[in-house]
Amino acid sequence: MRGYLLGIFVVPLLKHCICSDVVNFDGDIKDFVVGKSKLFVLTDHRLHQMRLDLSEEKRKDITNATHQNRVNILVPFEDNDTLITCGTFSKGYCEVLDLNDITKSIYDESESIGPKQNEKSVAFIAGPSTGRFLLVGKKDEQTNNPDPNRNPSPVVKLWNTLESQIGGIFNNIEEGSTPLIQSTAEDVEFVDGFQRVSSLYLFLNSKTGSESKVHVLWMDSNKIKKTEIFKSLQAATIECCDDKARPVLVASTVIPSGNSVIWAGVFSAQDQQDPENTALALYDISRVRGRVKGFCTIGEKCDSESGSNLQPLSVVFKYSSMSSVAAVRSESSTVLFIGTSDGQLIKLRLDEKFTPGCPIVLYKSDDERAVLPRMHFDPVDFKHIYVALRKELRRVSVVQCAKHTSLKDCRAALDPLCGWCLNTQRCSTKDECSESPWMSTPKNSIQEPLVSFQAWDDKSSRNITLHLGLSLESTGNPAFSCSFTTGSVNLCDGSDLTAVFPNCSCSFSDHKLYTGDLNVTAIVAVKDQKITEMLTLRNCLNIKNNSPNPSYKQCVQCVSSGCQWGFSSQRCDWKHGPGPQLHVQDACRDLFTDMDYKEPEILSLEPNKVSFHGRNNVLLRGRNLESVTKIHIQGDLDCISKESPVFDRSSDTLRFHIPPSGTKGTVKVCVVTPDDRCHGNSIITYSSQPSCTGIQPTVSWRSGGRKIDVQGSSMDTVESALFRPSNKVLQTQYSKSSGDVWFHSPRYDGGGPLSLLLKVGNSTVDCKNFSYEPDPEFVGFTTLQVANDLQVNIKKKPDALNLSMSEVNVTGLQGDQSYQCVLEKIESKEIICKIKGGSGAVTSVDSITISVGDSGDLLTGKHREYLVFFSIVFSLICFFFILIFCSLLSIFRVDSI
């Protein structure tokens, strides 16, 4: 009884308290939505009601053993505290559930509202506050009709959500007619839709013939009647992008902003081999005006075209396989969250000019599960985002300020949601830093370094200006000061140092640079927080050109020192007044032609696909590679490029190691020459780590040499196999046909099972356990004439090796002649093979040789036929003498009686 009562209280407690940042369901996730403080997850068979911490509250079965049902509409109606679901059961149905308890059905009706096919559809609550409708955009069954003279098909309808509306709930008729939007396109795919203030937006792909386009439909949601809403229809075609056509919309999101409506879309060129197959572009859709051919309201013709196509404000990111996008706004910055088809969640910051910063990977899966097109934020604080990957739902923190332990690390993250709290001396969000100055990344640009400086000449003195790349938010005016010292001596002359956040400047004597470079310690203090930076001041006039011709290396040295290269004077000089820092590539480009070596070329990389753990010993083939000093690796997801030394070279080949990456995706590889120029532009793809699903066989004989196949995914990134605890490393071979790798087992005289691991770069991935058994033992053979063939029966001891026909080779020897014995059967105690007869049939063999695997001869057995005969005769003689002995013994006993 006590146990029963304990269960009554503990089980519900555990149900509500056990939560995690990841939940795995028993079926694939089809859709999920967020409503108030609840999360609703739809799988193949069930609808789950969950709290925001991913603990489950309720579940509802949507299929049973006799009725299959595909729920295709899942919309929270928060104003009414209900959840609307529609599915394909019978001829179609819709049901209204209690938003706080999905097991309670409020209303249901047999009505076909959602799509019947497995097609994308869009559904959301729309219309004026006085009368809310369920807007559904879906592909109609008639849309697939390829007839150019086909009648328009309905693609968008508005359905009542309340019984009090005219016609009742789930009714789309108004005043005896059915208002709708129709299309003459051959194929229509709805991707996204939403209502913002008084505007309705729908985004879709349409296809007519071989032409694919992306359209946006706009309607006025302030209209009271459905007919009026549809009559306000305006439309435009959305284009992306300048570098190549990407005519298919994959996912989209609206970016919270002021009066304008900024929208972000992921566009695809539908070329999976293209490292920039998808692009993320931003558009201002505040004023969609005009019409597009193929879409109109009922009663109109759909052949009109007016208005202009929408062009992107900015293309902010390109990648091979983006699959979803979501956005939040922070002050003047925008933060995009991008899901990918290879299982990554990427965070990308844009400044007020929509210039992107460094992408940050918040999560990456070990395999290639795609992130579903829809992602949702935690509606309470927007500090978490929910992403779905096949059967898995994850709650990922979008703010990771606490992991940055210093001001420099906090600033280097370029996260607009994070800043340095001066009172607590830690990296935190703005709301966690109340009543304290908070320093964050600059509002106008994310390209600025934390500390930058310039030295310049105003003809009367040398000057230094230091700029602190931070934005300060404070209710007061915290103290700000700077100092410049060389050793223990103040650099600045007199008391002319000025410090006004975020800049400091002072002048210094020219003679301090006569003896050479000057190492300067710059200390910037904001309240009690100090930032120390080591600067090197150079005398620009001392950067001399020692060669008879202008030198690219000297120009690079000059410009990178903050000086100014004079092409007419062919020398380095001081800048006259402060100005923007030039890029080396721009300032010294014209001197490229003065280099005295043949420009190297890259022809191929082997392999060009690696795991995110990296790869050792990669072969680069090319031309004129003698002058290459190192390999430069730059990826879209890695703002800080990587470099790898060359450890083996010739004029046409190089070998180097590919370092590990924190991300998946493509990187560009070029070779660097002594002048720091980079040549070539090859692609390497970082993919998921290999996943081992099984090995066959799981056991080997101790002398080794057995072929072992390893099955799994991403096996082409495996470099070798490793056995532990023996620590033997074996080279693996990749099979393109099967996608598996294989190797030959090593010799092993130890006991107990071994662990098999796969080496990838400098990391290992666990595989399966492996064991060894004694070598197969053969104890003799006999022969039998069968027609023209000679059958050989080989006796063996039983073992657990389960030998296959391909692993055993038998050869018969007769004098100096050898004959192949074709295997017919391998059993536990016997192997049967036949030496095929022909014009010269073989009637006997002197011996046989048995080879197993690649380990060489395991047994050479000799079993001559006359030996068999003499053994039989000898046995009979022995038996005869035993009988005689027994008879004599009996006679002796009788005589003695």
Side-chain angles (χ1 to χ4, degrees), residues 220-239:
D220 185 353
S221 63
N222 270 342
K223 304 297 184 181
I224 303 299
K225 293 184 177 182
K226 302 172 188 175
T227 304
E228 294 173 343
I229 292 176
F230 286 136
K231 281 186 176 180
S232 66
L233 174 67
Q234 299 290 313
T237 299
I238 307 175
E239 292 188 347

Side-chain angles (χ1 to χ4, degrees), residues 20 65 131 176 184 322 467 512 563 586 600 614 632 674 708 721 727 809 834 897:
S20 173
T184 58
M322 286 182 277
H467 175 76
K512 292 185 178 180
C563 304
D586 298 330
H632 182 90
I708 309 298
N727 288 327
N809 183 64
K834 284 184 180 179
I897 292 174

Side-chain angles (χ1 to χ4, degrees), residues 480 630 889:
F480 178 70
K630 56 190 174 183
L889 183 59

Side-chain angles (χ1 to χ4, degrees), residues 781 814-815 845-847 861-869:
F781 71 92
Q814 177 67 41
V845 292
D846 296 332
S847 63
K862 294 185 177 180
H863 200 155
R864 300 180 186 275
E865 298 296 337
Y866 66 83
L867 291 178
V868 176
F869 172 78

Side-chain angles (χ1 to χ4, degrees), residues 4 156 221 253 450 458:
Y4 174 73
V156 182
S221 63
T253 188
L450 175 60
D458 65 359

Side-chain angles (χ1 to χ4, degrees), residues 436-622:
S436 169
W438 188 69
M439 294 190 297
S440 60
T441 54
K443 302 302 180 186
N444 58 338
S445 175
I446 57 178
Q447 306 298 331
E448 294 182 16
L450 175 60
V451 176
S452 59
F453 78 98
Q454 276 191 2
W456 48 280
D457 179 12
D458 65 359
K459 296 185 179 180
S460 60
S461 63
R462 305 293 185 223
N463 298 271
I464 183 172
T465 298
L466 182 143
H467 175 76
L468 189 62
L470 286 170
S471 175
L472 177 65
E473 296 184 35
S474 175
T475 54
N477 189 19
F480 178 70
S481 62
C482 303
S483 66
F484 300 93
T485 57
T486 57
S488 58
V489 180
N490 185 15
L491 173 70
C492 303
D493 295 332
S495 58
D496 61 344
L497 181 89
T498 59
V500 178
F501 187 90
N503 296 316
C504 305
S505 63
C506 75
S507 59
F508 59 93
S509 300
D510 194 29
H511 72 272
K512 292 185 178 180
L513 286 172
Y514 285 163
T515 57
D517 299 343
L518 198 61
N519 295 321
V520 177
T521 301
I523 301 177
V524 184
V526 184
K527 200 177 179 182
D528 297 329
Q529 178 66 50
K530 290 186 177 181
I531 302 170
T532 301
E533 194 77 11
M534 304 303 298
L535 313 176
T536 300
L537 292 179
R538 305 196 65 183
N539 189 337
C540 300
L541 301 178
N542 288 342
I543 302 176
K544 298 292 185 181
N545 180 8
N546 299 320
S547 62
N549 298 314
S551 167
Y552 173 78
K553 292 185 70 174
Q554 182 190 348
C555 177
V556 170
Q557 192 177 24
C558 175
V559 174
S560 60
S561 300
C563 304
Q564 179 175 286
W565 177 259
F567 284 93
S568 57
S569 61
Q570 298 184 8
R571 67 184 181 88
C572 194
D573 201 349
W574 289 95
K575 284 185 178 180
H576 303 298
Q581 179 74 39
L582 292 176
H583 293 290
V584 169
Q585 294 86 348
D586 298 330
C588 305
R589 184 179 300 277
D590 293 340
L591 298 177
F592 283 171
T593 56
D594 296 322
M595 305 315 299
D596 56 357
Y597 58 78
K598 291 183 179 179
E599 187 168 308
E601 298 178 53
I602 300 176
L603 299 180
S604 66
L605 289 167
E606 301 173 13
N608 59 9
K609 178 187 175 184
V610 301
S611 159
F612 56 71
H613 292 300
R615 179 94 185 196
N616 293 317
N617 203 19
V618 173
L619 176 64
L620 183 150
R621 298 183 187 275

Side-chain angles (χ1 to χ4, degrees), residues 648-870:
D648 187 17
R649 76 175 65 244
S650 68
S651 62
D652 55 4
T653 61
L654 297 175
R655 288 193 178 272
F656 65 100
H657 300 319
I658 297 177
S661 172
T663 66
K664 304 176 191 178
T666 57
V667 294
K668 296 176 182 178
V669 177
C670 58
V671 293
V672 182
T673 45
D675 55 7
D676 289 329
R677 286 180 60 198
C678 219
H679 308 267
N681 187 11
S682 291
I683 296 295
I684 285 179
T685 300
Y686 280 103
S687 66
S688 297
Q689 70 178 17
S691 174
C692 175
T693 57
I695 56 175
Q696 183 63 39
T698 60
V699 62
S700 173
W701 46 83
R702 285 179 179 165
S703 58
R706 190 171 201 180
K707 184 179 179 182
I708 309 298
D709 286 293
V710 185
Q711 298 94 33
S713 60
S714 299
M715 285 292 162
D716 50 348
T717 64
V718 174
E719 296 177 42
S720 58
L722 172 66
F723 281 110
R724 285 184 177 161
S726 66
N727 288 327
K728 290 186 178 180
V729 178
L730 301 166
Q731 293 303 311
T732 57
Q733 300 292 327
Y734 175 68
S735 171
K736 289 184 178 180
S737 58
S738 65
D740 301 333
V741 296
W742 60 271
F743 60 89
H744 286 128
S745 62
R747 182 181 184 87
Y748 182 63
D749 297 322
L754 296 170
S755 295
L756 175 63
L757 299 93
L758 304 177
K759 285 184 65 66
V760 189
N762 294 323
S763 301
T764 57
V765 177
D766 291 337
C767 193
K768 301 289 183 180
N769 286 337
F770 193 80
S771 61
Y772 277 85
E773 295 286 336
D775 290 350
E777 190 171 346
F778 305 97
V779 295
F781 71 92
T782 60
T783 59
L784 176 66
Q785 197 72 35
V786 180
N788 291 330
D789 301 334
L790 182 65
Q791 178 174 303
V792 180
N793 300 329
I794 306 167
K795 300 296 180 183
K796 64 184 285 288
K797 290 186 178 181
D799 55 47
L801 293 171
N802 193 23
L803 295 174
S804 67
M805 303 280 276
S806 61
E807 293 177 318
V808 179
N809 183 64
V810 181
T811 304
L813 301 175
Q814 177 67 41
D816 295 334
Q817 295 293 320
S818 62
Y819 303 93
Q820 183 66 40
C821 196
V822 180
L823 289 174
E824 292 197 340
K825 187 186 296 184
I826 297 181
E827 297 178 342
S828 174
K829 298 181 180 180
E830 188 176 46
I831 294 177
I832 299 174
C833 66
K834 284 184 180 179
I835 299 176
K836 299 296 182 180
S839 57
V842 180
T843 58
S844 65
V845 292
D846 296 332
S847 63
I848 61 170
T849 300
I850 306 175
S851 298
V852 179
D854 296 328
S855 59
D857 293 345
L858 296 180
L859 173 72
T860 299
K862 294 185 177 180
H863 200 155
R864 300 180 186 275
E865 298 296 337
Y866 66 83
L867 291 178
V868 176
F869 172 78
F870 281 119

